[in-house]
Amino acid sequence: MARFSAFLAADPAHARDQLAATGARVRPDGPALALIEDEPGHATGPFTAYGRTAVGEVTLHNRPELLTALAEAGAPAPPDCADGELLLRCWARLGAAGIRAAEGMFALAVHEDGALVLIRDHVGARTLFYARAGNCWAASTSLRALRRWPALGTGLELAAVRSFLTFAYLPGEETLLRGVREVLPGRCLRLAADGNLTEEHYWEPQELIEDDGAGPASYALRLRELLEEATARRLPEAEAVGVLLSGGVDSSLVTALAAKLHAHPVHTYSISFGDELPNELGYSGLVAAHCHTRHRVLTVSGEAVAARLAEAAALLDSPVGDPLTVPNLMLAEAVAGDGLRVVLNGEGGDPVFGGPKNLPMLVHEMHRDMHRDMSAGLPGGADGYTGSDGHAGSDGHAVSGGYAGAARETAYLRSYRKCYTDLPELLTPETLDALATAPRPERFVTPYLRPGARDGRMDHLLNQLLHCNLRTKGAHHILTKVERLTASQSLQGRAPLFDRRVVDHAFATPPRWKLNGAVEKWVLKEAVRDLLPGTVVDRPKSGMRVPVQQWLGGPLRELAGDLLLGREARARGLFRQDTVRAWMRGEGALLPRQGGKLWLVLTLELWLRAYDIR
C-alpha cells in the first residue's frame, strides 16, 4: 500500500533533491518519481512506455476495451500489463481520447518531453494535488507528503476555511494548505519546467437529450443495462464482495445487482446507533434477506466516535464535515476483517439522478418567479412553475429570459444549511478582515448554476443542480471520503452509480423522468423495480439519522470543549470563543441544527492539528 509523488524542474537533479527532501526514496537518476510507502493507497510504479515514465494510483474497469483500442491503433499492449502501464499506453498512443475511453479510478503523473502531466479520472474517485516552489513543480496523491516539502513553506489558506464552513467539504481546487491545489476531475494538467501550466478538459457531462418525446420505458431499460454493466465491471474476480447497505434505494439496488451478477458470496454491512434511535435496519434487513446476502449490523456508540474521531480526520487529505466518517471507517474495518478486498456502495444516486438536495433550490426558483410574475401583474403559479430566466420549470423544460445578480448562488449555499449565514458571528474580526478581499465560495457553483459554453452548459435547471452536485459534493466529499477510508484498510471502495456511462445517460434523460412530480430518482427506481421489494423502491428517502447532538452533549462534550476552547485553538484565532461557547450550550439561532454546525468546527480543528497547521 502506497501513495506517490512526482517532481519536475529544469534541472532533473534539483527535482530529485526536492523530492528526497520530503522523505521519499529517490532513484539516483531518471525522472523524480517515487512511491510513498508509509501511507495507505494503491500507487504503483514507476512504469515506462514509449519514452514516458509514470507513477499512478490506477484501477481500470474496462481493460478489454482499452486493449482493443490500442490494438486497433497499431500499438498493442501486453495483455497482462498493470493497470497503470495500460493507462499510460492509452495516453501515449491515443492522447486525451484514450483517457476519455478509460473507465475506472485513477490519478496518474507522467514525465514526458520535459513536462509533468497530471491526469485525474472522470468523476474524481482518486485525488491528486500539485504545487510550485523553488523553481520546481511537485505533485502527489498525498497532501501530507507535500506538507513535508521544505521549499513550499505551507501555511493556512483562509479562503479554504470559509469554503469548508460553507459546504462541509472543499468544493473545488482549493486546499487548506496555501499554495497547494487539487487537480479537478476530468482534467489533464501539463506542468512545464519553466512554470507554465496548461489544462485540458477531456470529459465533462453533457446535456444531450436527443428525443424529449420518447417514453420513459426506453430510458429505464437502457439505464438497467448500464447499471448491470457498471456493477459487473466492479465485481472482483473469483472472490466474495462486500456491499455497504443502508436500506435506501441506491445501496439496495447495488446489493440486488451484485447478488444477481456475482457467482461468489455477497456480504452486506449496515450501521446501527442503538435501538433507541430511529434507524433503517428494517429496510436493510429486508433487502439482505431478499437478496440472500451474508449480513452484518455494526453498532456504533458515541464513545467509539469520540475515541476515533481524530484518527478518522487524520486519514483525510481534506476535512469532511460528515459525522459518518468514524462509522464509515469502522465499516471498512469490518469488511477487511472478513477478508474482502472490494466493497461496493450506493453513492451517486442523489447527485446523478435527482435526490432531495435539489428540492430547496427548485422551490426557491418557483417562489422567485411567482413573486416576479405577480409584481409584474402577470398570471403566475396557477398552472405550475414555468420559470422566467432561461432555465427549467417543474417539467424540466427550458424557458427564455435573463437572470441578474447572484441570488441563485446564494440560495444554493444557504440550502446546505451549514455555517454560511453564521460566518459573521463565528469567525473572529481579524479573520473576517483577512477574508474581505479573498475569492468568495460562490465561485465554485457559478459555472454550473449559470454556465457558459466552456463549462458544459446545461439548459435545464434540474440538470444544472445535478451537474453542480456531481462536480462539487460528488468529487470532493463523497468519493474522496470513500477512497481514503477504505484505502486505510487495504480495501477498494467502488461506486457503480458514478460510472461514467451511467452519468452520461442520466444527463441524456429528460429531467421529468428523474424528478417526476414529487417522486425523486424516478427513472432509477423504475429501472430496478423488479429486483427489490416495493416497500424499498417506493419508500421516501430519510437518510442516515446520525445522533450528532447527543454525541456532542455526551461522549464528545469534553473533547469538543478541550479542543475548541483550548490554547491551540485560541492561538490560531479563527473562531470567536463566545460563539463557540454559546453553540456548545445550544444557544442562539442555530436550533435545531447547531450540532451539525459545531461538528464542522470540531472536524476542522482536528484536521488542522493532524497536519500541524497553526
Side-chain angles (χ1 to χ4, degrees):
M1 299 295 289
R3 299 210 181 274
F4 73 76
S5 290
F7 279 60
L8 175 76
D11 178 4
H14 177 58
R16 289 191 292 269
D17 290 343
Q18 294 297 302
L19 177 55
T22 68
R25 282 189 260 175
V26 185
R27 296 183 179 185
D29 53 11
L33 305 169
L35 299 185
I36 306 167
E37 304 286 357
D38 60 344
E39 292 199 32
H42 304 283
T44 59
F47 30 82
T48 300
Y50 301 105
R52 297 163 172 84
T53 304
V55 287
E57 295 195 43
V58 181
T59 301
L60 297 175
H61 302 317
N62 65 335
R63 285 180 57 92
E65 293 175 16
L66 300 179
L67 289 168
T68 298
L70 286 171
E72 291 176 348
D80 59 348
C81 69
D83 282 359
E85 181 184 340
L86 179 56
L87 189 64
L88 173 61
R89 287 174 175 272
C90 288
W91 167 252
R93 305 308 296 169
L94 303 174
I99 301 299
R100 191 180 307 115
E103 179 61 52
M105 309 180 291
F106 51 85
L108 189 71
V110 184
H111 269 281
E112 66 174 28
D113 301 327
L116 180 62
V117 177
L118 307 179
I119 303 171
R120 188 177 179 191
D121 65 69
H122 305 70
V123 295
R126 297 264 164 83
T127 311
L128 184 56
F129 306 96
Y130 68 99
R132 182 169 177 82
N135 296 318
C136 187
W137 285 108
S140 182
T141 48
S142 163
L143 200 70
R144 189 169 275 108
L146 293 178
R147 179 83 173 94
R148 295 193 293 259
W149 184 23
L152 191 57
T154 52
L156 179 61
E157 180 62 74
L158 281 181
V161 171
R162 180 168 58 187
S163 298
F164 173 75
L165 295 170
T166 297
F167 290 88
Y169 58 91
L170 296 179
E173 77 285 350
E174 264 183 342
T175 76
L176 283 162
L177 299 185
R178 189 181 307 124
V180 179
R181 292 291 178 261
E182 182 177 331
V183 179
L184 296 179
R187 313 289 175 89
C188 296
L189 269 60
R190 180 175 294 272
L191 312 179
D194 63 5
N196 286 332
L197 180 155
T198 57
E199 181 181 60
E200 179 178 2
H201 298 223
Y202 71 82
W203 180 81
E204 193 67 36
Q206 300 293 317
E207 187 179 65
L208 301 174
I209 303 173
E210 297 179 357
D211 184 6
D212 203 13
S218 61
Y219 293 101
L221 182 61
R222 178 56 179 155
L223 177 57
R224 173 60 171 272
E225 295 172 352
L226 292 172
L227 290 172
E228 293 199 3
E229 292 172 8
T231 303
R233 288 177 169 184
R234 287 162 176 78
L235 294 171
E237 293 185 12
E239 60 185 86
V241 68
V243 183
L244 303 183
L245 175 60
S246 70
V249 66
D250 302 336
S251 62
S252 296
L253 74 88
V254 171
T255 299
L257 288 172
K260 174 186 176 182
L261 300 171
H262 205 35
H264 300 274
V266 176
H267 298 242
T268 48
Y269 301 82
S270 298
I271 294 175
S272 168
F273 296 114
D275 295 337
E276 69 279 7
L277 295 171
N279 59 64
E280 298 182 292
L281 296 180
Y283 291 107
S284 60
L286 175 62
V287 172
H290 180 78
C291 298
H292 307 289
T293 68
R294 302 179 182 182
H295 191 53
R296 286 181 59 182
V297 177
L298 183 70
T299 299
V300 178
S301 67
E303 290 75 17
V305 173
R308 305 199 62 185
L309 187 56
E311 174 191 356
L315 289 170
L316 302 173
D317 285 274
S318 293
V320 173
D322 182 347
L324 284 173
T325 49
V326 170
N328 289 156
L329 176 59
M330 295 174 68
L331 280 173
E333 290 174 337
V335 175
D338 286 341
L340 306 182
R341 296 188 307 113
V342 173
V343 59
L344 307 183
N345 61 68
E347 303 286 9
D350 285 351
V352 175
F353 286 99
K357 173 67 176 70
N358 306 287
L359 294 181
M361 280 297 296
L362 294 171
V363 171
H364 163 78
E365 295 286 323
M366 178 182 69
H367 281 285
R368 182 177 60 81
D369 281 3
M370 288 175 63
H371 177 75
R372 178 185 298 168
D373 289 346
M374 287 188 291
S375 298
L378 299 174
D383 298 321
Y385 170 46
T386 58
S388 63
D389 56 10
H391 302 290
S394 62
D395 65 352
H397 288 290
V399 291
S400 62
Y403 186 83
R408 175 170 287 167
E409 288 90 331
T410 300
Y412 189 88
L413 298 187
R414 286 175 176 270
S415 75
Y416 268 81
R417 302 177 70 190
K418 305 302 180 185
C419 295
Y420 178 69
T421 59
D422 306 292
L423 294 176
E425 291 75 39
L426 175 60
L427 298 178
T428 62
E430 295 79 11
T431 302
L432 291 171
D433 287 343
L435 286 169
T437 58
R440 295 192 56 80
E442 286 86 350
R443 73 188 190 279
F444 294 114
V445 301
T446 296
Y448 310 107
L449 302 183
R450 288 192 286 160
R454 183 178 183 274
D455 303 308
R457 176 180 174 84
M458 298 190 182
D459 292 322
H460 296 76
L461 174 58
L462 180 61
N463 282 343
Q464 291 174 4
L465 295 171
L466 297 180
H467 193 195
C468 190
N469 294 344
L470 176 72
R471 282 316 203 193
T472 56
K473 187 173 183 177
H476 301 285
H477 171 184
I478 297 172
L479 288 168
T480 186
K481 182 189 71 168
V482 168
E483 200 280 330
R484 292 314 196 220
L485 296 179
T486 54
S488 74
Q489 304 303 311
S490 301
L491 291 171
Q492 285 198 13
R494 302 178 180 178
L497 292 178
F498 274 114
D499 182 275
R500 171 178 51 85
R501 296 193 303 165
V502 171
V503 173
D504 284 338
H505 181 70
F507 285 107
T509 299
R512 67 174 181 272
W513 302 134
K514 286 177 285 192
L515 183 59
N516 188 2
V519 181
E520 302 148 359
K521 299 183 288 191
W522 185 86
V523 70
L524 183 65
K525 295 175 180 179
E526 291 304 304
V528 298
R529 182 169 292 280
D530 63 305
L531 290 175
L532 293 166
T535 52
V536 173
V537 175
D538 295 320
R539 57 165 296 200
K541 182 178 178 66
S542 59
M544 182 67 68
R545 298 183 183 180
V546 187
V548 172
Q549 194 64 50
Q550 293 186 27
W551 292 344
L552 289 170
L556 277 168
R557 182 176 180 81
E558 184 175 351
L559 174 66
D562 289 346
L563 289 173
L564 300 180
L565 302 174
R567 180 183 304 173
E568 190 169 333
R570 293 198 308 272
R572 195 177 289 113
L574 290 175
F575 304 115
R576 289 177 48 172
Q577 294 289 290
D578 58 339
T579 298
V580 172
R581 286 191 177 93
W583 287 15
M584 292 186 66
R585 292 193 298 265
E587 298 175 359
L590 291 166
L591 286 171
R593 296 184 63 86
Q594 74 268 32
K597 297 182 180 186
L598 187 60
W599 186 272
L600 294 189
V601 181
L602 177 59
T603 300
L604 178 61
E605 178 65 25
L606 284 167
W607 189 92
L608 292 173
R609 292 185 183 219
Y611 279 76
D612 193 27
I613 301 175
R614 302 183 185 278

